[in-house]
Amino acid sequence: MDDSEEIAPAVRSILDAARERGGGGDRVSVSPRSLPAAFEAAAADGRTPLVAEVKPTSPTADGERTDDPVELAEAMVEGGAAALSVLTEPEHFGGSAETLEAVRDAVDVPVLRKDFVLHEGQLDVVEADVILLIVRFLEAEGTDDLEDLLAAARDRGFQVLVETHTAAEVETALSAGAEIIGVNNRDLAELDVDLGTFETVAPEVPESVTLIAESGIQTPDDVARMREAGADALLVGSAIMDHGAETDVTANTRRLTNAETDTTTPDT
Ligand SMILES: O=C(O)c1ccccc1NCC(=O)[C@H](O)[C@H](O)COP(=O)(O)O
């Protein structure tokens, strides 16, 4: 994504805010909880490996959930989530580093810091088990190079989820040495969601890489579709947070983690 590319105003605003956010203070050093091991443990237990996202709101959400994020996180783990994702972006997603810290203290599963990291200093904000780097955003002018950021994150102990949306971005991620790749079904230029994106892009990812299908997964049928297309795990926010209706987060999570074993749940 170079600066001349057409992108949704909300995403332009997210990028501008990320550019202005400074780094943290002291260099972070983390002993991470293994994400691939958490996925394997979930699968061995008969649960679909799922990263459930604590996402109070977003540019595409129907409203905002104001319940205690730690209680939401605990409810997701009770529903069988193998790992959690916590938004730390404050302006468009209602997140914070303090929320992530409190969630990570309260649970024993790996926690992904979901934010828009553009340069090395922004790694030094809070300890997390996994950090997100978005290939598309790191192609913008004035950002650090993906390969350099990946190395800087690993030096601090983070596992790194490298997010892609196209086959070309997967190629970039692999060349940079990514071992965990996400394919985002949400197009960050238009903000529309198409599960066909994962089906198209997944074959480009080698077996040795941990592959995560991200965004737009709503129903047990969607879970089955992404798993059939090769997802080792799924990242789900909106369908679990259910911003408009504020339904039971444990039940919303369980409906997806049980998708491949539960033949009684209607697909609604
Ligand atoms: O979710 C948004 O509205 C959004 C808007 C602009 C940039 C990024 C956005 N989301 C980031 C994500 O990657 C999702 O939160 C995550 O994949 C979960 O997606 P979903 O299950 O569709 O909430």
Side-chain angles (χ1 to χ4, degrees):
M1 179 178 286
D2 64 44
D3 286 338
S4 63
E5 194 181 335
E6 285 288 315
I7 57 171
V11 177
R12 172 68 60 204
S13 171
I14 289 167
L15 261 179
D16 289 346
R19 277 206 175 90
E20 279 173 28
R21 257 195 314 281
D26 297 340
R27 187 183 164 94
V28 164
S29 174
V30 65
S31 302
R33 303 166 189 165
S34 168
L35 188 64
F39 291 161
E40 277 164 29
D45 191 33
R47 288 173 286 132
T48 299
L50 183 91
V51 184
E53 186 158 276
V54 179
K55 177 180 179 180
T57 188
S58 85
T60 58
D62 282 334
E64 179 162 7
R65 267 196 100 136
T66 54
D67 349 14
D68 178 1
V70 172
E71 285 176 18
L72 288 172
E74 288 171 335
M76 290 167 179
V77 173
E78 199 185 325
L84 298 176
S85 164
V86 178
L87 264 300
T88 55
E89 203 276 359
E91 291 172 45
H92 303 81
F93 294 86
S96 73
E98 292 74 25
T99 296
L100 186 144
E101 199 167 23
V103 166
R104 189 162 182 263
D105 282 348
V107 301
D108 57 8
V109 300
V111 179
L112 163 71
R113 176 180 165 212
K114 200 78 186 297
D115 209 324
F116 303 90
V117 171
L118 302 180
H119 56 81
E120 184 173 347
Q122 292 173 330
L123 296 170
D124 294 322
V125 170
V126 64
E127 283 182 32
D129 303 288
V130 192
I131 197 121
L132 177 74
L133 297 178
I134 303 174
V135 171
R136 196 161 199 180
F137 284 0
L138 294 172
E139 285 165 350
E141 202 155 304
T143 64
D144 284 357
D145 181 67
L146 173 65
E147 202 170 329
D148 294 343
L149 264 182
L150 195 61
R154 286 181 177 149
D155 279 352
R156 288 160 170 81
F158 293 113
Q159 298 159 97
V160 184
L161 168 58
V162 180
E163 181 178 300
T164 65
H165 182 67
T166 63
E169 288 176 8
V170 166
E171 187 56 48
T172 303
L174 292 171
S175 303
E179 292 170 352
I180 306 171
I181 290 182
V183 177
N184 197 342
N185 288 309
R186 180 173 286 110
D187 178 352
L188 296 181
E190 310 276 346
L191 286 187
D192 52 355
V193 173
D194 177 2
L195 296 189
T197 302
F198 184 83
E199 292 170 320
T200 304
V201 175
E204 308 300 323
V205 179
E207 274 292 317
S208 56
V209 167
T210 300
L211 177 59
I212 303 178
E214 300 178 26
S215 299
I217 298 151
Q218 309 264 355
T219 66
D221 272 1
D222 293 342
V223 170
R225 185 174 162 187
M226 296 293 96
R227 293 280 279 165
E228 270 158 33
D232 294 310
L234 315 167
L235 171 60
V236 181
S238 308
I240 292 173
M241 294 295 286
D242 201 10
H243 298 97
E246 308 222 346
T247 47
D248 178 357
V249 160
T250 300
N252 295 345
T253 308
R254 188 164 290 135
R255 192 164 142 264
L256 301 178
T257 57
N258 281 354
E260 292 169 287
T261 49
D262 186 356
T263 49
T264 60
T265 310
D267 186 41
T268 51

